[in-house]
Amino acid sequence: MTSPPAPGPASPPGSLPTTSHWGAYSVRPGTGARGGPGGAPHGDLGIRPHPADPSPSPLLRNIDGALRHPTRVRRPAVRRGWLEHGPGPTDRRGREPFVEIGWDEALDLTAAELARVRDEHGPTAVFGGSYGWASAGRFHHAQSQLHRFLAQFGGYTASRNSYSLGASLVLLPHLVGAAGAQAVLRAASSWPTLVAHTELIVAFGGIPAKNVHVTPGGVTRHRTPGHLDALAAAGTRVALISPLRADLPEGLDTDWHAIVPATDTALMLGLAHTLLTENLHDRAFLDRCTTGFDTFAHYLDGRADGTPRSAEWAAAICGLDASRIRTLARRMAASRTLVTVTWSLQRIQHGEQPVWAALALAAMLGQIGLPGGGFGHGYGSMGDVGDHGPQLRLPYLPQGPNPVGEFIPCARIADLLLHPGGTYEYDGETRTYPDIRLVHWAGGNPFHHHQDLGRLRRAFGRPDTVIVHEPHWTATARHADIVLPATTTLEREDLGGGRRDTHLIAMHRAVDPVGEARDDHAILAGLAGRLGFGERFTEGRTPRAWLEHLYGSWREELRADGTDVPEFEDFWTAGDYELPSERADFTLFEDFRRDPVRHPLDTPSGRIEITSGPVAALGLADCPGHPVWLEPDEWTGGPAAGRHPLLLIANQPATRLHSQFDVGALSLDAKVAGREAVQLHPADAAARAIRDGDVVRIFNDRGAVLAGAVLTDGVRPGVLRLPTGAWFDPVPQQDPREPPLCAHGNPNTLTADVPTSRLTQGCTGQHALVEVERYTGDPPPVTVRRPPPLLDGATVPRHRHRHRPTVHPHPDRPETP
Ligand code: PGD
């Protein structure tokens, strides 16, 4: 047996270890230390990064201020109209005060309503997909807890895939097989291999350093910043293809190609056309390792439809110079070249195309399976892409099978609620939306993550009841009927680690729960008890007993494989355990390249599908059988042709994780005039008399937001950058059907709720067409950093909640899809 590495000093004396999606750290509650730069403790919690972390995340700065912020949900709360009039569709969600009540009453009401919906409409009428990142922690993971609870309750309508990778998760298995997709998504070549071998990285969407601090579940050693430094030192050249200069860290040898957003596929086709017509493509590799190249080649050279996808053709669409496109194609063919595409590029309508076209381009270069060459997806999209550690087995909470087979692709939530009985296509199937009567959400913020929030508000008006567990008064909590206050990681004990982490962290409880907040597990145990399956849900264990049990069974598994792992008590006292892991590159594509007959991909041809027969057979105009250029529907005639001529990029924020900790210090410091900062080019600002620091109104037909202007030539003219995650703060309106005005700058007020395609049904939140103007007059205040109006439960009469049929007609106008 390998002996365990000596336990490290996880935290300084007197501190308690824990972890987050953005890194492990320790806490010294009540030290009174004030925040400071250069690694000094932040605020009252004495937060210090894990000693083994070479590049701690700046997001640690957000934790202090958010922990006891006034927006914490302190007591269970019920929307006044629901308490007084009972469940039913309504347009009052998000527009009414809440009534604070005690836990016993809140759990009684919630359990009775869950039972009513299940008994009257069946468990399929309960939507429990509950998409979202929640917090790090293997046991208290909110969705795992909720899914376990709902599975035992009788089942629920689930959700599939992710907002991050909706198009790729469905598309890639068609192109490179299921295992090939995993290899692509975890990086074909590791960072050290890129440093050693790659001469040129063609980075579509760049390698945005702001994202690399985050890995779901946790990350103890942030290594990507060091790898990027090593790439710079090695002199690797990077062609940055992005409208935003900040998508690649300074210091690298960079050519910035400031492309028109959403046109990367056209550029890829132009590059491929140059390779083809100048005979720079690797015919032998294409013949041996791919299928369907000729069909694609006919599309490129114009034999298919009379339009050659030449460099000039591409230049007219993507706004780059044709001669630069040709030069880049020649350099790609002459170098060890990695073609990489960020995940954000597939978060647009037709988001399959940049992924498929980049794969085809890399195949034409013939370097797939060579160290440091070929196709990459997501370098810079997440902390662990390019990490060569194995996917680790970690302790996990068993959820049990969901007795209901129903699901939606997660980004179809508004369609699901608005169109019960409606049909849609997904990965070759025609599916029907069930009739949802109750929504139960824990650990996600759909009023952050979904598109077209005005439409989502209407969708949230449809069910009888919306139950939300949340630590903060997010917009989702404000649009619920029953809000159950949840603890955050610092208020509970857990085990933490990410899928490629170097350590398992003993997450100690550092502070008492804020207000009356309870752990999701405790909330659900309380409901399960009322519903008659409490013992089955908890298995008679306390949370600490669960940790010991999960750790113990995991330890036994590792010991059976010959790895000694400390006893729970030793691990808990040490604060962490360095996981045994040998680091090595994936060899799937190397093996395949060497011998595609002996090591075929799991595709119909056994090879890379440049043209896919099964996808072509579906006959989808929005995702045909090979990579094509498709203009976003909204453009008609080019982005600048309409009333909203500017292209808004709604990308991941640098100052928080999604919407989490938007009330933290780092996030607040970056606001301009108290609102989310929008970057725009000085020329666009001058044309509209906008100055740095002005409050601006960004708008289209779906809604409007107020934001604070930041002028920079780091964005392409015609482009605005407004990151996601500012808490949605709709200004009260007379008519709830009017497009919303968000006083705080949430870009999903502006994005369209359309799917990537009928093949994948992914999220398309990355882009929207907008106009911007200087806001004159007194802007409405940002209210979302205060709790909503809260009434005393003793003063509000109760509806006699009994099992009864739902009779309320829906007050909204009929929805047109
Ligand atoms: P978070 O802000 O992380 O966003 O969407 P997601 O919903 O995951 O939300 C997590 C919520 O969980 C927070 O409100 C937090 O307070 C709560 N929470 C944390 N811990 C706990 C807990 O222990 N218990 C409970 N009950 N709650 C907890 C992210 C999604 O947004 C993602 S992954 C992507 S990639 C998408 N990206 C874009 C985009 O690029 N552009 C646009 N326009 N929109 C996007 N939306 C998507």
Side-chain angles (χ1 to χ4, degrees):
M1 239 180 219
T2 343
S3 51
S11 46
S15 294
L16 299 168
T18 188
T19 194
S20 66
H21 297 308
W22 49 94
Y25 61 98
S26 63
V27 171
R28 200 140 50 95
T31 54
R34 279 279 133 225
H42 302 296
D44 294 325
L45 294 166
I47 287 177
R48 281 184 188 276
H50 192 281
D53 191 347
S55 183
S57 166
L59 301 192
L60 289 174
R61 259 193 78 205
N62 279 332
I63 292 169
D64 264 309
L67 177 68
R68 295 192 180 86
H69 192 267
T71 54
R72 281 299 298 267
V73 184
R74 276 156 209 273
R75 299 194 66 204
V78 181
R79 183 175 60 80
R80 181 186 190 151
W82 195 94
L83 201 59
E84 285 184 347
H85 307 300
T90 175
D91 64 11
R92 303 299 300 151
R93 291 194 179 103
R95 297 180 170 93
E96 273 192 357
F98 281 84
V99 183
E100 290 188 312
I101 60 173
W103 269 109
D104 281 344
E105 186 182 6
L107 294 175
D108 287 347
L109 287 172
T110 309
E113 179 58 1
L114 279 159
R116 180 191 74 83
V117 170
R118 179 191 58 194
D119 298 346
E120 289 180 2
H121 305 286
T124 310
V126 174
F127 178 72
S130 184
Y131 179 83
W133 268 58
S135 292
R138 311 292 304 172
F139 173 66
H140 286 294
H141 182 246
Q143 282 83 16
S144 306
Q145 290 283 349
L146 181 63
H147 293 163
R148 174 182 170 85
F149 165 80
L150 288 175
Q152 295 182 3
F153 162 79
Y156 60 100
T157 294
S159 70
R160 250 188 211 178
N161 302 334
S162 73
Y163 273 75
S164 303
L165 273 165
S168 294
L169 289 176
V170 179
L171 177 73
L172 281 172
H174 287 286
L175 310 186
V176 291
Q182 280 312 308
V184 163
L185 290 171
R186 297 288 155 250
S189 285
S190 67
W191 288 110
T193 304
L194 298 186
V195 172
H197 296 277
T198 311
E199 294 163 309
L200 173 65
I201 301 178
V202 182
F204 291 91
I207 305 174
K210 68 180 166 54
N211 300 333
V212 302
H213 283 109
V214 170
T215 302
V219 51
T220 306
R221 287 199 180 108
H222 288 101
R223 285 180 284 216
T224 312
H227 294 312
L228 290 168
D229 290 345
L231 273 179
T236 310
R237 298 182 73 183
V238 185
L240 165 64
I241 319 285
S242 173
L244 310 178
R245 174 61 187 85
D247 276 342
L248 199 72
E250 298 290 342
L252 285 156
D253 182 357
T254 308
D255 279 337
W256 181 26
H257 302 260
I259 192 169
V260 174
T263 64
D264 298 77
T265 305
L267 172 58
M268 291 169 191
L269 296 173
L271 293 165
H273 181 274
T274 304
L275 296 181
L276 179 69
T277 53
E278 298 190 5
N279 207 22
L280 296 173
H281 58 307
D282 186 339
R283 190 76 231 192
F285 179 85
L286 291 165
D287 288 344
R288 244 168 32 91
C289 295
T290 73
T291 186
F293 175 68
D294 288 342
T295 310
F296 179 56
H298 291 179
Y299 173 76
L300 287 178
D301 65 20
R303 267 181 286 171
D305 60 4
T307 304
R309 272 75 193 180
S310 63
E312 283 73 19
W313 169 88
I317 297 168
C318 70
L320 302 175
D321 202 60
S323 65
R324 268 187 101 189
I325 296 175
R326 277 205 196 83
T327 306
L328 179 58
R330 291 172 196 143
R331 270 176 49 208
M332 289 166 78
S335 316
R336 176 60 54 89
T337 300
L338 177 79
V339 179
T340 173
V341 179
T342 50
W343 296 351
S344 56
L345 289 203
Q346 48 88 66
R347 231 172 283 139
I348 59 171
Q349 197 185 20
H350 311 133
E352 301 80 9
Q353 302 310 320
V355 178
W356 203 342
L359 177 69
L361 186 58
M364 289 176 75
L365 294 172
Q367 299 184 22
I368 293 175
L370 291 181
F375 171 64
H377 191 20
Y379 290 93
S381 296
M382 189 79 88
D384 67 347
V385 177
D387 192 324
H388 50 321
Q391 179 112 8
L392 295 164
R393 278 179 296 166
L394 291 168
Y396 71 96
L397 176 72
Q399 297 175 23
N402 177 6
V404 168
E406 200 57 74
F407 71 89
I408 55 160
C410 59
R412 300 278 54 81
I413 176 68
D415 288 351
L416 165 74
L417 299 178
L418 288 165
H419 300 298
T423 57
Y424 65 102
E425 283 155 83
Y426 170 68
D427 202 12
E429 287 177 30
T430 301
R431 302 183 55 82
T432 305
Y433 289 120
D435 188 358
I436 298 298
R437 300 301 178 111
L438 185 148
V439 170
H440 198 159
W441 218 295
N445 186 2
F447 278 86
H448 151 66
H449 65 232
H450 197 59
Q451 286 56 67
D452 193 349
L453 295 181
R455 183 168 189 257
L456 187 68
R457 281 190 123 186
R458 292 198 293 282
F460 263 60
R462 290 267 176 172
D464 292 352
T465 298
V466 177
I467 303 163
V468 168
H469 306 193
E470 245 295 337
H472 287 273
W473 279 107
T474 61
T476 300
R478 290 167 203 248
H479 284 80
D481 298 311
I482 302 175
V483 182
L484 302 172
T487 53
T488 64
T489 44
L490 292 179
E491 299 151 63
R492 60 201 186 208
E493 292 180 345
D494 214 330
L495 310 168
R499 54 195 174 195
R500 292 238 151 68
D501 215 336
T502 49
H503 296 67
L504 186 72
I505 305 286
M507 300 170 70
H508 285 240
R509 174 167 152 163
V511 297
D512 288 339
V514 171
E516 295 178 18
R518 291 189 182 174
D519 304 341
D520 293 289
H521 176 75
I523 297 172
L524 295 165
L527 292 175
R530 282 163 175 80
L531 290 162
F533 59 94
E535 182 66 21
R536 192 166 155 223
F537 181 71
T538 62
E539 296 183 15
R541 295 191 183 95
T542 61
R544 169 57 86 96
W546 266 108
L547 301 191
E548 290 176 15
H549 167 69
L550 297 177
Y551 181 92
S553 18
W554 170 77
R555 177 172 180 258
E556 285 317 309
E557 256 187 64
L558 263 75
R559 283 166 61 88
D561 277 358
T563 306
D564 200 5
V565 177
E567 302 265 6
F568 179 83
E569 281 308 326
D570 295 337
F571 156 72
W572 195 254
T573 309
D576 66 20
Y577 166 60
E578 187 163 354
L579 296 155
S581 71
E582 282 172 24
R583 308 218 152 232
D585 278 19
F586 291 98
T587 55
L588 184 136
F589 283 104
E590 272 178 44
D591 297 342
F592 163 70
R593 176 192 181 89
R594 204 178 317 111
D595 191 340
V597 176
R598 283 191 55 214
H599 301 284
L601 299 178
D602 178 19
T603 56
S605 63
R607 293 184 256 168
I608 297 169
E609 306 246 325
I610 292 182
T611 300
S612 160
V615 175
L618 298 175
L620 303 173
D622 59 2
C623 191
H626 61 76
V628 293
W629 161 245
L630 296 169
E631 199 175 63
D633 289 350
E634 197 166 35
W635 282 19
T636 45
R643 289 183 300 124
H644 307 121
L646 301 173
L647 272 151
L648 179 92
I649 298 185
N651 61 357
Q652 301 296 334
T655 57
R656 56 187 171 256
L657 170 64
H658 313 132
S659 70
Q660 295 197 34
F661 296 91
D662 190 27
V663 291
L666 184 74
S667 185
L668 290 177
D669 283 355
K671 307 268 174 192
V672 173
R675 295 156 215 271
E676 195 59 23
V678 60
Q679 293 180 335
L680 73 166
H681 194 274
D684 293 319
R688 293 163 177 82
I690 294 169
R691 291 162 312 191
D692 214 48
D694 279 350
V695 175
V696 293
R697 177 175 167 270
I698 311 170
F699 60 96
N700 61 22
D701 291 337
R702 288 179 287 272
V705 306
L706 302 185
V710 173
L711 275 48
T712 169
D713 59 9
V715 301
R716 182 190 160 89
V719 171
L720 306 185
R721 178 196 176 227
L722 181 66
T724 58
W727 286 358
F728 181 55
D729 195 357
V731 174
Q733 294 158 309
Q734 288 298 323
D735 182 348
R737 292 163 303 183
E738 268 178 46
L741 167 65
C742 171
H744 190 199
N746 182 312
N748 278 325
T749 317
L750 303 160
T751 52
D753 186 7
V754 295
T756 41
S757 77
R758 288 183 290 151
L759 181 76
T760 64
Q761 297 285 354
C763 152
T764 61
Q766 192 70 190
H767 295 154
L769 286 185
V770 297
E771 181 51 286
V772 61
E773 63 185 14
R774 192 154 68 88
Y775 193 85
T776 50
D778 279 341
V782 172
T783 65
V784 80
R785 292 197 277 272
R786 299 193 303 266
L790 297 170
L791 308 177
D792 181 346
T795 64
V796 180
R798 309 309 199 248
H799 169 80
R800 284 163 57 82
H801 290 272
R802 294 272 179 268
H803 272 214
R804 65 187 184 84
T806 305
V807 288
H808 305 269
H810 190 264
D812 267 351
R813 64 176 175 194
E815 169 72 15
T816 40

